[in-house]
Amino acid sequence: MSLDSSDSTPLIIIGALGLVALCFLLLIVGMLLRPPRVCPQCRRKQIAGKSVCPFCGANYSSQGSPPPLNSTNSQPVDVVSGQSASIDSTARLEWIQGQGAGQYFSLRNSILKLGRSKENDIALDGLMVSRFHAEIRLQDGFFILRDLDSTNGSYVNDQRIAEHVLEPGDQIQIGENLLVFRSDARQKSRSHLTPAVSAMPAVPLTPAVRQYDLKTYQMTHTIGSGGAATVFRGVSLIDRSTVAIKILHEADPFIREKFVQEGEIGKSLQHPRIAKIIHYGEADGVLYIIMEYVDGGSLRQRLSHGKPTAFDFTRAVIGQTCEALAYAHSRNVIHRDIKPENILLSTEGGVKLVDFGIAKLTTASSKTSTGIRLGTPYYMSYEQACGLTVTPTSDIYALGIVLYEMLTGQWPFQGQPLEVIHKHMTETPVSPRQFNPNVPPEMEAAVMRALDKKAERRFQNAMDFARAIGYQPNIKISVAPLMLGDSVRQGANVSGRLAQPRLLIIAGRNRGRAIPLYSGGVVLGRNDLDPDDQRISRKHLQIGEHSGEFTAQDLDSMNGTFVNGQKITTTVRLRENDKIQVGQTILQFQV
C-alpha cells in the first residue's frame, strides 16, 4: 500500500516547522548562555547603544572583550594553596589572619578571585565574606583590588574601597581575613590609570585657595575636607552674603552621581532644620554645591571622647534632628548617613542637617556601586550592616547611636570597622546607665528602643523618638560660633579654645591649613599634605587617638617621620606644640 503524496504533505510541513522551531530555540539558548560583553578596560558591562564606556572612557571597540571572570581561558595567576611564593615572584599576598594564615599566594598576571566559594582562586572563610567577594587584576604593571559588590565590603588599611591600586604593605581585610600585599618592585607613575582606579588629587588647601569660575560666588577659607570633597567658606559677589561651597575632587562615576543627587535632593528639601541648598552645578570640570553657611560647626566638634554631653543640650540636638528627619521622611527621603559630622549647629537656628549624598528616595529603585560605602560603620544601621533594604527607621537607629554617644561619651559598638559591622548584626548594646548612672530613665529607654534590631519595634516616626526623650519644640540651642575668618585660627571658638585638637601646618606648601583631629585618629599622606612632594609617602603617618590622648606613628614611610627633630620608630605620644615633619611639611600639634 503506497502513501499518497497529498497525505504526506502535512507531515513534511509539520516536520519543517518543528525543525525551524528547534533552530530558533537553540539560537535563544545560545544568546542566553553567551557571556555579556564587558568594557576591555574596567570590565563593567557594556551599555547598549554606547561606543565609549561611560565609567572609564575606554572605547568598546578598541579590543575584544576579555573572557568572563569564571572563564578557564583567563589563566588567572599561579596560586598554590599552602605553599610559599617562588623567590623570583615580585608580588604576592601573605595571609596573616584567618583559617589560611601563613600561606603565600604569588601574583603574576591577569585576575585573582577571592571569596567564600570554592570556585575562587583564594577561598576565604567567614559569614561576612560573599561568595564572590573581590578580585585582584593586573593593569599596566599595577595590581588593582576591586570589590565585587560584596555585602560587607572590602577594606584596605581600614578604609572601605571600590577599587584600589595596591602598594607594598597594604592590608586587605575581607570579613575576618587579613592579607598583606607584598612587592619587591619599585613603584612607577600611575598617571596613566583611569580616574576610577587612581583617584584625582585633592584640591590644594592653601591660604591662597584655588579658585573656580563659580560666576557670582568666591571661595575664601577652607572649612573642612573629606575623602571625596572639600568645603570652603565663600561669599556671594551680589549681596556679600556668606555661603558654604562644597567642591568634589573624586572622579569615581558613582560618587559623582551621588554628589549631584545631594544637590537635587537637598534643593527639594525646604525646612529650617535642614541646611538650604542654594545652587549646584559644574565649573572647570568640577562639581560644586552652594549651600547655607552654618556658623556653629558640627556636632562632632562639640563632643569629647569619653565625656557625656549635658542632657539639655543632648535633648535639644536629638529633638531638632528628629524634626529634620520627620520632614525628610514625609518627602520619601531616607538620609542613610546620620552621624555627628552631618549635624551642624547654627548660633541662630539650632540644628541644620546636611549631606544627603547617599540619601535614598523610598519611591526609587535601589542603586549602588561596587564597594561604595553607604553609611559610616560606627553609625551604620542594622539594615545597612546586613545588606537589607533601608527604611525611615534605619535613620532612627543611626540617630540612636548618636544619642548613645552623647549620653555616654562612646559608641555602643567598639572595634575595627568590620568588627563593628558584625556587632551591629549580632550584639545588643550595653545599657547607657552602666557608663553614666545619671542618664534619665526615659532617655535610656528611648535609646535602647531606637537601637532595637527589629525595625518594627523601633519608633516608627522620628517625632515619637523626640517626644520619648522629653523634647519640646522650639527649644533654643545656645552655641558659640567657630571663628573661621582667619585660617590660622580656624577651628577656634569665641572663648579662644579650640573646638577640637588639630594639626596646624606651619611650614610647607599648605602653610596655614588646619587639620582637625577627631576621635579615631587619621591617616595622612602625600595627597593630604602636598601632592607634589615625592618625599611624602601615599600613606605616611597615622595620628591615633585613645581616651583623649593623641599619638603619632610612622607607617613604614620611605623617608621617615620626625617629631621635634627626632626620627620616630615607635608610636609616640603627642604633647601640645609638638612639631611633626613629613617631607617639606611641618605640622604643629595644638589642643
PDB file of all heavy atoms in Angstrom, residues 416-441:
ATOM      1  N   GLN A 416      37.419  47.595  65.222  1.00  0.00           N
ATOM      2  CA  GLN A 416      37.723  47.924  63.838  1.00  0.00           C
ATOM      3  C   GLN A 416      36.430  47.919  63.031  1.00  0.00           C
ATOM      4  O   GLN A 416      35.430  47.293  63.430  1.00  0.00           O
ATOM      5  CB  GLN A 416      38.721  46.918  63.260  1.00  0.00           C
ATOM      6  CG  GLN A 416      40.090  46.945  63.926  1.00  0.00           C
ATOM      7  CD  GLN A 416      40.770  48.303  63.788  1.00  0.00           C
ATOM      8  OE1 GLN A 416      40.782  48.901  62.713  1.00  0.00           O
ATOM      9  NE2 GLN A 416      41.340  48.801  64.882  1.00  0.00           N
ATOM     10  N   PRO A 417      36.419  48.614  61.855  1.00  0.00           N
ATOM     11  CA  PRO A 417      35.169  48.740  61.090  1.00  0.00           C
ATOM     12  C   PRO A 417      34.432  47.433  60.856  1.00  0.00           C
ATOM     13  O   PRO A 417      33.214  47.365  61.064  1.00  0.00           O
ATOM     14  CB  PRO A 417      35.651  49.382  59.779  1.00  0.00           C
ATOM     15  CG  PRO A 417      36.825  50.200  60.181  1.00  0.00           C
ATOM     16  CD  PRO A 417      37.512  49.405  61.253  1.00  0.00           C
ATOM     17  N   LEU A 418      35.137  46.387  60.427  1.00  0.00           N
ATOM     18  CA  LEU A 418      34.447  45.128  60.161  1.00  0.00           C
ATOM     19  C   LEU A 418      33.910  44.491  61.440  1.00  0.00           C
ATOM     20  O   LEU A 418      32.840  43.871  61.437  1.00  0.00           O
ATOM     21  CB  LEU A 418      35.384  44.161  59.444  1.00  0.00           C
ATOM     22  CG  LEU A 418      35.600  44.454  57.954  1.00  0.00           C
ATOM     23  CD1 LEU A 418      36.667  43.538  57.385  1.00  0.00           C
ATOM     24  CD2 LEU A 418      34.302  44.286  57.180  1.00  0.00           C
ATOM     25  N   GLU A 419      34.628  44.647  62.536  1.00  0.00           N
ATOM     26  CA  GLU A 419      34.134  44.152  63.824  1.00  0.00           C
ATOM     27  C   GLU A 419      32.847  44.868  64.210  1.00  0.00           C
ATOM     28  O   GLU A 419      31.888  44.255  64.697  1.00  0.00           O
ATOM     29  CB  GLU A 419      35.179  44.368  64.917  1.00  0.00           C
ATOM     30  CG  GLU A 419      36.459  43.568  64.789  1.00  0.00           C
ATOM     31  CD  GLU A 419      37.409  43.895  65.924  1.00  0.00           C
ATOM     32  OE1 GLU A 419      37.247  43.302  67.001  1.00  0.00           O
ATOM     33  OE2 GLU A 419      38.292  44.761  65.744  1.00  0.00           O
ATOM     34  N   VAL A 420      32.840  46.180  64.010  1.00  0.00           N
ATOM     35  CA  VAL A 420      31.678  46.988  64.375  1.00  0.00           C
ATOM     36  C   VAL A 420      30.469  46.576  63.542  1.00  0.00           C
ATOM     37  O   VAL A 420      29.349  46.443  64.062  1.00  0.00           O
ATOM     38  CB  VAL A 420      31.986  48.488  64.197  1.00  0.00           C
ATOM     39  CG1 VAL A 420      30.725  49.331  64.390  1.00  0.00           C
ATOM     40  CG2 VAL A 420      33.061  48.927  65.176  1.00  0.00           C
ATOM     41  N   ILE A 421      30.664  46.370  62.236  1.00  0.00           N
ATOM     42  CA  ILE A 421      29.559  45.937  61.380  1.00  0.00           C
ATOM     43  C   ILE A 421      28.992  44.615  61.885  1.00  0.00           C
ATOM     44  O   ILE A 421      27.766  44.431  61.958  1.00  0.00           O
ATOM     45  CB  ILE A 421      30.038  45.809  59.923  1.00  0.00           C
ATOM     46  CG1 ILE A 421      30.373  47.193  59.352  1.00  0.00           C
ATOM     47  CG2 ILE A 421      28.967  45.143  59.055  1.00  0.00           C
ATOM     48  CD1 ILE A 421      30.988  47.154  57.963  1.00  0.00           C
ATOM     49  N   HIS A 422      29.872  43.688  62.261  1.00  0.00           N
ATOM     50  CA  HIS A 422      29.414  42.388  62.779  1.00  0.00           C
ATOM     51  C   HIS A 422      28.637  42.562  64.081  1.00  0.00           C
ATOM     52  O   HIS A 422      27.622  41.886  64.301  1.00  0.00           O
ATOM     53  CB  HIS A 422      30.627  41.481  62.992  1.00  0.00           C
ATOM     54  CG  HIS A 422      30.270  40.092  63.419  1.00  0.00           C
ATOM     55  ND1 HIS A 422      29.618  39.196  62.594  1.00  0.00           N
ATOM     56  CD2 HIS A 422      30.454  39.440  64.602  1.00  0.00           C
ATOM     57  CE1 HIS A 422      29.434  38.067  63.240  1.00  0.00           C
ATOM     58  NE2 HIS A 422      29.924  38.184  64.452  1.00  0.00           N
ATOM     59  N   LYS A 423      29.072  43.490  64.944  1.00  0.00           N
ATOM     60  CA  LYS A 423      28.372  43.717  66.211  1.00  0.00           C
ATOM     61  C   LYS A 423      26.998  44.341  65.986  1.00  0.00           C
ATOM     62  O   LYS A 423      26.054  44.038  66.718  1.00  0.00           O
ATOM     63  CB  LYS A 423      29.228  44.612  67.116  1.00  0.00           C
ATOM     64  CG  LYS A 423      30.476  43.910  67.660  1.00  0.00           C
ATOM     65  CD  LYS A 423      31.333  44.844  68.510  1.00  0.00           C
ATOM     66  CE  LYS A 423      32.562  44.117  69.041  1.00  0.00           C
ATOM     67  NZ  LYS A 423      33.445  45.000  69.847  1.00  0.00           N
ATOM     68  N   HIS A 424      26.892  45.217  64.968  1.00  0.00           N
ATOM     69  CA  HIS A 424      25.566  45.743  64.624  1.00  0.00           C
ATOM     70  C   HIS A 424      24.614  44.591  64.314  1.00  0.00           C
ATOM     71  O   HIS A 424      23.422  44.654  64.640  1.00  0.00           O
ATOM     72  CB  HIS A 424      25.657  46.664  63.403  1.00  0.00           C
ATOM     73  CG  HIS A 424      26.127  48.058  63.707  1.00  0.00           C
ATOM     74  ND1 HIS A 424      25.460  48.909  64.558  1.00  0.00           N
ATOM     75  CD2 HIS A 424      27.193  48.758  63.253  1.00  0.00           C
ATOM     76  CE1 HIS A 424      26.098  50.071  64.622  1.00  0.00           C
ATOM     77  NE2 HIS A 424      27.145  50.006  63.843  1.00  0.00           N
ATOM     78  N   MET A 425      25.146  43.569  63.661  1.00  0.00           N
ATOM     79  CA  MET A 425      24.308  42.462  63.219  1.00  0.00           C
ATOM     80  C   MET A 425      23.960  41.492  64.342  1.00  0.00           C
ATOM     81  O   MET A 425      22.910  40.835  64.287  1.00  0.00           O
ATOM     82  CB  MET A 425      25.031  41.706  62.091  1.00  0.00           C
ATOM     83  CG  MET A 425      25.319  42.543  60.864  1.00  0.00           C
ATOM     84  SD  MET A 425      26.519  41.778  59.736  1.00  0.00           S
ATOM     85  CE  MET A 425      25.682  40.276  59.282  1.00  0.00           C
ATOM     86  N   THR A 426      24.808  41.396  65.364  1.00  0.00           N
ATOM     87  CA  THR A 426      24.662  40.294  66.322  1.00  0.00           C
ATOM     88  C   THR A 426      24.542  40.689  67.784  1.00  0.00           C
ATOM     89  O   THR A 426      24.057  39.888  68.589  1.00  0.00           O
ATOM     90  CB  THR A 426      25.862  39.341  66.190  1.00  0.00           C
ATOM     91  OG1 THR A 426      27.076  40.064  66.472  1.00  0.00           O
ATOM     92  CG2 THR A 426      25.947  38.747  64.788  1.00  0.00           C
ATOM     93  N   GLU A 427      24.988  41.882  68.178  1.00  0.00           N
ATOM     94  CA  GLU A 427      25.068  42.211  69.598  1.00  0.00           C
ATOM     95  C   GLU A 427      24.055  43.278  70.013  1.00  0.00           C
ATOM     96  O   GLU A 427      23.677  44.139  69.219  1.00  0.00           O
ATOM     97  CB  GLU A 427      26.485  42.697  69.954  1.00  0.00           C
ATOM     98  CG  GLU A 427      27.544  41.629  69.813  1.00  0.00           C
ATOM     99  CD  GLU A 427      28.889  42.090  70.329  1.00  0.00           C
ATOM    100  OE1 GLU A 427      28.965  43.185  70.941  1.00  0.00           O
ATOM    101  OE2 GLU A 427      29.888  41.364  70.120  1.00  0.00           O
ATOM    102  N   THR A 428      23.658  43.219  71.276  1.00  0.00           N
ATOM    103  CA  THR A 428      22.801  44.246  71.883  1.00  0.00           C
ATOM    104  C   THR A 428      23.690  45.187  72.688  1.00  0.00           C
ATOM    105  O   THR A 428      24.529  44.726  73.473  1.00  0.00           O
ATOM    106  CB  THR A 428      21.758  43.599  72.811  1.00  0.00           C
ATOM    107  OG1 THR A 428      20.940  42.708  72.044  1.00  0.00           O
ATOM    108  CG2 THR A 428      20.878  44.669  73.463  1.00  0.00           C
ATOM    109  N   PRO A 429      23.546  46.505  72.519  1.00  0.00           N
ATOM    110  CA  PRO A 429      24.429  47.425  73.248  1.00  0.00           C
ATOM    111  C   PRO A 429      24.213  47.379  74.750  1.00  0.00           C
ATOM    112  O   PRO A 429      23.122  47.061  75.235  1.00  0.00           O
ATOM    113  CB  PRO A 429      24.047  48.799  72.675  1.00  0.00           C
ATOM    114  CG  PRO A 429      22.677  48.628  72.127  1.00  0.00           C
ATOM    115  CD  PRO A 429      22.596  47.213  71.640  1.00  0.00           C
ATOM    116  N   VAL A 430      25.280  47.668  75.471  1.00  0.00           N
ATOM    117  CA  VAL A 430      25.210  47.749  76.927  1.00  0.00           C
ATOM    118  C   VAL A 430      24.349  48.954  77.317  1.00  0.00           C
ATOM    119  O   VAL A 430      24.374  49.991  76.649  1.00  0.00           O
ATOM    120  CB  VAL A 430      26.630  47.889  77.510  1.00  0.00           C
ATOM    121  CG1 VAL A 430      26.580  48.102  79.016  1.00  0.00           C
ATOM    122  CG2 VAL A 430      27.457  46.656  77.175  1.00  0.00           C
ATOM    123  N   SER A 431      23.611  48.829  78.394  1.00  0.00           N
ATOM    124  CA  SER A 431      22.767  49.923  78.858  1.00  0.00           C
ATOM    125  C   SER A 431      23.595  51.183  79.116  1.00  0.00           C
ATOM    126  O   SER A 431      24.651  51.116  79.752  1.00  0.00           O
ATOM    127  CB  SER A 431      22.056  49.513  80.155  1.00  0.00           C
ATOM    128  OG  SER A 431      21.486  50.637  80.786  1.00  0.00           O
ATOM    129  N   PRO A 432      23.162  52.349  78.620  1.00  0.00           N
ATOM    130  CA  PRO A 432      23.918  53.600  78.821  1.00  0.00           C
ATOM    131  C   PRO A 432      24.159  53.920  80.294  1.00  0.00           C
ATOM    132  O   PRO A 432      25.185  54.515  80.644  1.00  0.00           O
ATOM    133  CB  PRO A 432      23.027  54.663  78.170  1.00  0.00           C
ATOM    134  CG  PRO A 432      22.200  53.925  77.187  1.00  0.00           C
ATOM    135  CD  PRO A 432      21.964  52.576  77.789  1.00  0.00           C
ATOM    136  N   ARG A 433      23.243  53.525  81.166  1.00  0.00           N
ATOM    137  CA  ARG A 433      23.387  53.855  82.588  1.00  0.00           C
ATOM    138  C   ARG A 433      24.542  53.100  83.240  1.00  0.00           C
ATOM    139  O   ARG A 433      24.989  53.485  84.325  1.00  0.00           O
ATOM    140  CB  ARG A 433      22.066  53.571  83.315  1.00  0.00           C
ATOM    141  CG  ARG A 433      20.974  54.589  82.978  1.00  0.00           C
ATOM    142  CD  ARG A 433      19.605  54.101  83.444  1.00  0.00           C
ATOM    143  NE  ARG A 433      19.505  54.032  84.891  1.00  0.00           N
ATOM    144  CZ  ARG A 433      19.122  55.043  85.675  1.00  0.00           C
ATOM    145  NH1 ARG A 433      18.820  56.222  85.135  1.00  0.00           N
ATOM    146  NH2 ARG A 433      19.026  54.893  86.976  1.00  0.00           N
ATOM    147  N   GLN A 434      25.045  52.052  82.590  1.00  0.00           N
ATOM    148  CA  GLN A 434      26.219  51.368  83.139  1.00  0.00           C
ATOM    149  C   GLN A 434      27.472  52.215  82.966  1.00  0.00           C
ATOM    150  O   GLN A 434      28.445  52.050  83.692  1.00  0.00           O
ATOM    151  CB  GLN A 434      26.394  50.007  82.464  1.00  0.00           C
ATOM    152  CG  GLN A 434      25.304  48.999  82.830  1.00  0.00           C
ATOM    153  CD  GLN A 434      25.660  47.592  82.415  1.00  0.00           C
ATOM    154  OE1 GLN A 434      26.842  47.229  82.347  1.00  0.00           O
ATOM    155  NE2 GLN A 434      24.647  46.776  82.146  1.00  0.00           N
ATOM    156  N   PHE A 435      27.458  53.112  81.976  1.00  0.00           N
ATOM    157  CA  PHE A 435      28.584  54.023  81.764  1.00  0.00           C
ATOM    158  C   PHE A 435      28.336  55.383  82.413  1.00  0.00           C
ATOM    159  O   PHE A 435      29.266  56.054  82.840  1.00  0.00           O
ATOM    160  CB  PHE A 435      28.830  54.232  80.263  1.00  0.00           C
ATOM    161  CG  PHE A 435      29.210  52.979  79.530  1.00  0.00           C
ATOM    162  CD1 PHE A 435      28.320  52.371  78.648  1.00  0.00           C
ATOM    163  CD2 PHE A 435      30.451  52.387  79.730  1.00  0.00           C
ATOM    164  CE1 PHE A 435      28.670  51.213  77.975  1.00  0.00           C
ATOM    165  CE2 PHE A 435      30.805  51.227  79.059  1.00  0.00           C
ATOM    166  CZ  PHE A 435      29.909  50.636  78.178  1.00  0.00           C
ATOM    167  N   ASN A 436      27.075  55.778  82.477  1.00  0.00           N
ATOM    168  CA  ASN A 436      26.712  57.067  83.055  1.00  0.00           C
ATOM    169  C   ASN A 436      25.441  56.884  83.880  1.00  0.00           C
ATOM    170  O   ASN A 436      24.332  56.952  83.345  1.00  0.00           O
ATOM    171  CB  ASN A 436      26.502  58.108  81.952  1.00  0.00           C
ATOM    172  CG  ASN A 436      26.156  59.481  82.502  1.00  0.00           C
ATOM    173  OD1 ASN A 436      26.154  59.709  83.717  1.00  0.00           O
ATOM    174  ND2 ASN A 436      25.860  60.428  81.608  1.00  0.00           N
ATOM    175  N   PRO A 437      25.560  56.636  85.192  1.00  0.00           N
ATOM    176  CA  PRO A 437      24.395  56.371  86.045  1.00  0.00           C
ATOM    177  C   PRO A 437      23.395  57.527  86.088  1.00  0.00           C
ATOM    178  O   PRO A 437      22.254  57.326  86.525  1.00  0.00           O
ATOM    179  CB  PRO A 437      25.017  56.134  87.431  1.00  0.00           C
ATOM    180  CG  PRO A 437      26.450  55.800  87.169  1.00  0.00           C
ATOM    181  CD  PRO A 437      26.829  56.570  85.949  1.00  0.00           C
ATOM    182  N   ASN A 438      23.812  58.716  85.646  1.00  0.00           N
ATOM    183  CA  ASN A 438      22.924  59.877  85.708  1.00  0.00           C
ATOM    184  C   ASN A 438      21.985  59.993  84.515  1.00  0.00           C
ATOM    185  O   ASN A 438      21.176  60.914  84.453  1.00  0.00           O
ATOM    186  CB  ASN A 438      23.760  61.156  85.819  1.00  0.00           C
ATOM    187  CG  ASN A 438      24.591  61.196  87.095  1.00  0.00           C
ATOM    188  OD1 ASN A 438      24.120  60.803  88.163  1.00  0.00           O
ATOM    189  ND2 ASN A 438      25.836  61.647  86.990  1.00  0.00           N
ATOM    190  N   VAL A 439      22.105  59.092  83.564  1.00  0.00           N
ATOM    191  CA  VAL A 439      21.228  59.153  82.387  1.00  0.00           C
ATOM    192  C   VAL A 439      19.773  59.012  82.829  1.00  0.00           C
ATOM    193  O   VAL A 439      19.426  58.049  83.531  1.00  0.00           O
ATOM    194  CB  VAL A 439      21.579  58.039  81.381  1.00  0.00           C
ATOM    195  CG1 VAL A 439      20.552  57.986  80.254  1.00  0.00           C
ATOM    196  CG2 VAL A 439      22.977  58.261  80.808  1.00  0.00           C
ATOM    197  N   PRO A 440      18.883  59.946  82.446  1.00  0.00           N
ATOM    198  CA  PRO A 440      17.466  59.841  82.806  1.00  0.00           C
ATOM    199  C   PRO A 440      16.861  58.544  82.270  1.00  0.00           C
ATOM    200  O   PRO A 440      17.181  58.130  81.144  1.00  0.00           O
ATOM    201  CB  PRO A 440      16.844  61.063  82.124  1.00  0.00           C
ATOM    202  CG  PRO A 440      17.970  62.031  81.967  1.00  0.00           C
ATOM    203  CD  PRO A 440      19.170  61.188  81.700  1.00  0.00           C
ATOM    204  N   PRO A 441      16.020  57.885  83.054  1.00  0.00           N
ATOM    205  CA  PRO A 441      15.438  56.602  82.629  1.00  0.00           C
ATOM    206  C   PRO A 441      14.727  56.682  81.284  1.00  0.00           C
ATOM    207  O   PRO A 441      14.811  55.745  80.484  1.00  0.00           O
ATOM    208  CB  PRO A 441      14.454  56.264  83.766  1.00  0.00           C
ATOM    209  CG  PRO A 441      14.997  56.990  84.958  1.00  0.00           C
ATOM    210  CD  PRO A 441      15.595  58.255  84.422  1.00  0.00           C
TER     211      PRO A 441
END
